[in-house]
C-alpha cells in the first residue's frame, strides 16, 4: 500500500487505542522536529520527542518518505479542521481568517523540504498536492466568504489566489533571519480589510 493512499487520521480496523495515540504523538513530534531540523532529521530525535522507541517509528512508518507523507497529510488535515472551529469561536470571521492564516504559515514551514524527501516519487508528490488543494482551498474559501458576508473584507479575492500569495511570501523565510514572512502576510491581510 502506498503511503499516499491511506490517511493517518483513519486508524486501521482493530488498532489499539495506545497504538493510535503513539502514531498521533509521532506525527506531532515529527512535524515539530521537521520545523527545527528539517525532514532529514535523525529518527532518534523524533522518537525522543515523541517519547517512544525508534522501533515504534519504523513499525508505523517503514521509510522516511512514509513518515514525511504522513506528517504532511496530518498537518493538512489539522489545518483544514481548524478553519470551521476558528470560524465558530473567533470574535469575527476576519479574526478567524487571520488565525487560520497563522496556522497555514506554520504548515508551510513544516512542509519545507518535502519535495527533496520525495523526489523519487513524482506521482506521490502530485497526489499530495491534490490532497492539499482539495482539503485547504475550500476551508480558505469558507473563511473568505464569511469575512466578505460580514463586511470585513473587500470581495474578489479567491482562496487559491490568497494561499499562493501567502506561500510566495513564505519562500526563503527559513533561510534569512532578517526576513519575517508573517509581517508581510499581515500587511497582505490588512490590504483585504474593508476601509472603515
Amino acid at each position: 500500500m502506498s503511503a499516499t493512499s491511506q490517511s493517518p487520521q483513519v486508524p486501521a480496523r482493530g488498532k489499539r487505542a495506545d497504538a493510535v495515540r503513539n502514531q498521533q504523538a509521532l506525527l506531532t513530534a515529527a512535524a515539530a522536529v521537521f520545523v527545527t531540523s528539517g525532514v532529514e532529521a535523525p529518527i532518534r530525535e523524533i522518537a525522543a520527542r515523541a517519547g517512544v522507541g525508534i522501533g515504534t517509528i519504523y513499525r508505523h512508518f517503514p521509510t522516511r518518505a512514509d513518515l514525511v507523507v504522513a506528517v504532511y497529510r496530518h498537518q493538512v488535515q489539522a489545518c483544514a479542521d481548524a478553519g470551521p472551529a476558528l470560524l465558530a469561536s473567533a470574535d469575527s470571521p476576519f479574526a478567524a481568517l487571520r488565525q487560520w492564516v497563522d496556522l497555514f504559515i506554520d504548515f508551510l514551514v513544516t512542509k519545507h523540504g518535502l519535495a527533496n524527501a520525495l523526489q523519487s516519487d513524482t506521482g506521490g508528490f502530485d497526489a499530495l498536492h491534490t490532497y492539499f488543494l482539495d482539503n485547504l482551498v475550500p476551508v480558505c474559501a469558507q473563511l473568505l466568504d464569511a469575512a466578505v458576508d460580514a463586511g470585513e473584507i473587500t470581495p474578489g479575492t479567491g482562496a487559491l489566489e490568497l494561499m499562493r500569495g501567502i506561500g510566495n511570501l513564505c519562500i526563503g523565510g527559513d533561510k534569512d533571519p532578517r526576513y519575517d514572512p508573517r509581517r508581510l502576510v499581515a500587511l497582505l491581510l490588512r490590504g483585504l480589510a474593508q476601509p472603515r
Side-chain angles (χ1 to χ4, degrees), residues 96-145:
L97 176 65
R98 284 195 313 261
Q99 291 171 24
W100 185 82
V101 165
D102 277 344
L103 295 174
F104 182 60
I105 291 169
D106 290 342
F107 165 77
L108 293 175
V109 171
T110 300
K111 85 174 191 58
H112 179 74
L114 177 69
N116 291 336
L118 300 176
Q119 62 190 352
S120 63
D121 186 9
T122 305
F125 184 76
D126 291 343
L128 284 178
H129 185 67
T130 299
Y131 182 80
F132 167 87
L133 293 176
D134 289 350
N135 284 277
L136 294 184
V137 172
V139 172
C140 185
Q142 179 186 19
L143 291 161
L144 283 170
D145 290 346

Side-chain angles (χ1 to χ4, degrees), residues 11-29:
R13 193 177 298 190
K15 207 174 220 188
R16 294 185 342 235
D18 62 330
V20 172
R21 278 193 305 275
N22 280 348
Q23 186 174 15
Q24 295 304 310
L26 283 173
L27 294 173
T28 301

